[in-house]
């Protein structure tokens, strides 16, 4: 269980916001929240950045997966 009511969110995006399904699925959660009028997401704090860096470390040598 994800905790999200996807059918209701999709219905809101398509019927309420006038989005096409592909446009809805291309949104990030932050973009959808903004479009629905929710408050802006909390800023990324250092502690959360450290958590993300630990969970998703750069590969050997840094850069991206194209070797750049």
């Amino acid at each position: 269980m994800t905790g999200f009511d996807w059918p209701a969110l999709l219905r809101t995006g398509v019927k309420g916001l006038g989005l096409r399904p592909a446009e809805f699925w291309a949104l990030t959660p932050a973009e959808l929240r903004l479009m629905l009028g929710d408050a802006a997401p909390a800023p990324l704090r250092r502690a959360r950045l450290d958590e993300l860096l630990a969970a998703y470390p750069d590969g050997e040598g840094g850069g991206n997966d194209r070797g750049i």
Side-chain angles (χ1 to χ4, degrees):
M1 182 90 173
T2 63
F4 290 107
D5 184 353
W6 290 111
L9 286 172
L10 179 59
R11 193 169 34 257
T12 300
V14 172
K15 288 186 175 183
L17 299 174
L19 299 170
R20 292 186 209 111
E23 293 170 325
F24 171 84
W25 291 114
L27 292 172
T28 66
E31 291 169 330
L32 182 58
R33 285 183 63 194
L34 184 63
M35 292 178 81
L36 293 173
D38 286 350
L44 181 65
R45 303 267 185 235
R46 183 65 203 202
R48 180 65 179 137
L49 178 59
D50 289 339
E51 289 174 13
L52 291 170
L53 289 170
Y56 305 100
D58 286 338
E60 201 172 302
N64 61 33
D65 53 24
R66 292 177 294 182
I68 299 173

